[in-house]
């Protein structure tokens, strides 16, 4: 078990529809299942993570709080008290709020769908990360391929294109699977309600890579 030192993991991308909330919620769940004390902060004004928690019949395995304000980087020390890991579901646009999420994070995960439009849209997010490293030199960042179409090579091709940014691309690609939509509708994690073991395996692999990236 990787020993965290109260790490903050921010999921950020200026482009909506990349599955940012799906990854944030399920990675938070996987980390909680590993025994970490996890807090999920919903910094998206749309409140998708809060909606997920509200859809559950029982309490989620980790608390979810709404904090869609551009002071997260100043508030994070107080927010993370009592937790090993904090996961932030960031906003879907470049804004002061996105900058605040990045500055609050120790690792920024940039979800990318394997399409040219999504790859092009990463430029502004990467720029924000680079700007943040001026003030936070130990800040780490990595791309996560999400919603890859099963049985295609396009995820691999996108990884090669993303290399131009000189940021690592996490090896575990999460595919477009019905299980993610079915469980989200009921406020569940893929580990709780999926019939697709492979969906859980992908999330588990991604969560493990994130932990290793923090070490």
């Amino acid at each position: 078990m990787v020993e965290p030192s109260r790490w903050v993991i921010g999921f950020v991308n200026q482009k909506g529809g990349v599955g940012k909330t799906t990854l944030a919620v399920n990675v938070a769940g996987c980390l909680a299942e590993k025994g970490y004390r996890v807090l999920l902060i919903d910094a998206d004004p749309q409140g998708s993570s809060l909606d997920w928690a509200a859809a559950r019949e029982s309490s989620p395995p980790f608390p979810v709080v709404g904090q869609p304000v551009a002071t997260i980087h100043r508030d994070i020390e107080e927010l993370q008290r009592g937790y090993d890991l904090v996961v932030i579901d960031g906003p879907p646009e470049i804004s002061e709020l996105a900058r605040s999420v990045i500055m609050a994070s120790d690792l920024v995960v940039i979800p990318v769908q394997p399409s040219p439009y999504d790859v092009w849209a990463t430029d502004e997010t990467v720029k924000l990360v680079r700007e943040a490293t001026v003030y936070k030199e130990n800040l780490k960042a990595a791309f996560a391929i999400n919603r890859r179409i099963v049985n295609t090579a396009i995820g691999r091709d996108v990884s090669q294109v993303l290399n131009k940014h000189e940021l690592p691309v996490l090896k575990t690609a999460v595919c477009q699977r019905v299980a993610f939509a079915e469980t989200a509708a009921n406020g569940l994690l893929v580990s709780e309600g999926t019939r697709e073991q492979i969906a859980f395996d992908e999330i588990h692999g991604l969560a493990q890579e994130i932990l290793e990236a923090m070490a």
Side-chain angles (χ1 to χ4, degrees), residues 6-183:
R6 296 172 69 183
W7 294 333
V8 180
I9 305 156
F11 286 81
V12 180
N13 194 320
Q14 71 154 348
K15 190 175 186 303
V18 296
K20 180 173 48 61
T21 298
T22 297
L23 291 188
V25 165
N26 280 285
V27 166
C30 190
L31 296 174
E33 289 164 359
K34 288 177 178 287
Y36 296 109
R37 295 169 297 172
V38 178
L39 171 69
L40 176 60
I41 298 177
D42 190 342
D44 185 343
Q46 297 176 8
S48 299
S49 290
L50 288 171
D51 289 342
W52 169 84
R56 292 182 62 89
E57 293 183 357
S58 59
S59 298
F62 48 83
V64 183
V65 299
Q67 192 82 356
V69 293
T71 58
I72 293 179
H73 63 294
R74 296 200 296 267
D75 303 334
I76 193 64
E77 185 173 352
E78 181 64 30
L79 289 167
Q80 68 183 160
R81 290 182 188 273
Y83 298 99
D84 301 314
L85 297 165
V86 175
V87 176
I88 306 178
D89 181 8
E93 72 277 331
I94 295 301
S95 61
E96 288 305 311
L97 177 52
R99 289 184 173 88
S100 184
V101 170
I102 290 171
M103 286 298 297
S105 300
D106 299 300
L107 171 67
V108 176
V109 179
I110 307 171
V112 182
Q113 284 192 119
S115 79
Y117 304 105
D118 288 80
V119 172
W120 297 332
T122 63
D123 290 350
E124 288 301 316
T125 305
V126 172
K127 181 180 177 182
L128 283 189
V129 171
R130 300 244 185 258
E131 290 173 354
T133 58
V134 174
Y135 306 97
K136 195 170 184 177
E137 61 182 19
N138 293 325
L139 177 64
K140 298 181 179 182
F143 293 109
I145 304 299
N146 192 34
R147 293 184 169 172
R148 183 175 72 82
I149 305 302
V150 180
N151 298 325
T152 68
I154 192 169
R156 182 189 64 233
D157 297 340
V158 167
S159 295
Q160 294 172 351
V161 175
L162 289 172
N163 285 334
K164 71 173 184 177
H165 291 296
E166 299 182 351
L167 292 179
V169 180
L170 299 176
K171 295 178 182 178
T172 303
V174 177
C175 293
Q176 180 81 9
R177 300 187 188 281
V178 173
F180 290 111
E182 288 181 342
T183 52

